[in-house]
Amino acid sequence: PPYEPLGEEREGERRPPSAVVLVEPPPHPPPRDHLAWSLCSALYANVCCLGFLALVFSIKSRDRKLLGDYSGALSYGSTAKYLNITTLVLNILLSILFVALLATGTIVLGNLIHLSQEHGPFDGPT
């Protein structure tokens, strides 16, 4: 044959046993629950109770994460994120609307006061 058969190993020539090392990929980071953002939305910007709903979904996401259900936690966390974004956008729009109405109301009120000082009080036609 083209190869030589191996002979018996001697006691001094024994090889150490081989070890198998399993390398696992690094674990994925747990999904975010956005609890702090939801808490701020619920306390400071609770437009149409959306901040409270975001807080509820954040707590559900955290519970799912603790139970090991990462897909459920991801779903609840993403719902909480979208509710928080909606709350933030509505809060910004309402703040702009409030400032605009306050500014125009102040201007109209100032014009009325100015006209009443020029022409006197409105007592009716004379």
Side-chain angles (χ1 to χ4, degrees), residues 55-113:
L55 182 62
V56 167
F57 278 99
S58 292
I59 292 171
K60 283 184 175 187
S61 174
R62 178 160 287 194
D63 289 344
R64 287 288 164 192
K65 186 169 43 172
L66 289 177
L67 291 175
D69 179 16
Y70 290 119
S71 64
L74 185 65
S75 173
Y76 284 130
S78 119
T79 303
K81 180 175 84 171
Y82 291 130
L83 286 170
N84 280 323
I85 290 171
T86 305
T87 302
L88 182 65
V89 168
L90 284 176
N91 195 27
I92 289 172
L93 290 176
L94 287 176
S95 296
I96 291 171
L97 180 67
F98 178 75
V99 168
L101 288 175
L102 186 66
T104 57
T106 304
I107 291 170
V108 168
L109 187 62
N111 287 339
L112 284 176
I113 291 173

Side-chain angles (χ1 to χ4, degrees), residues 33-52:
D33 54 15
H34 306 285
L35 186 64
W37 189 11
S38 297
L39 190 61
C40 289
S41 292
L43 291 177
Y44 299 116
N46 200 9
V47 179
C48 299
C49 294
L50 291 177
F52 178 71

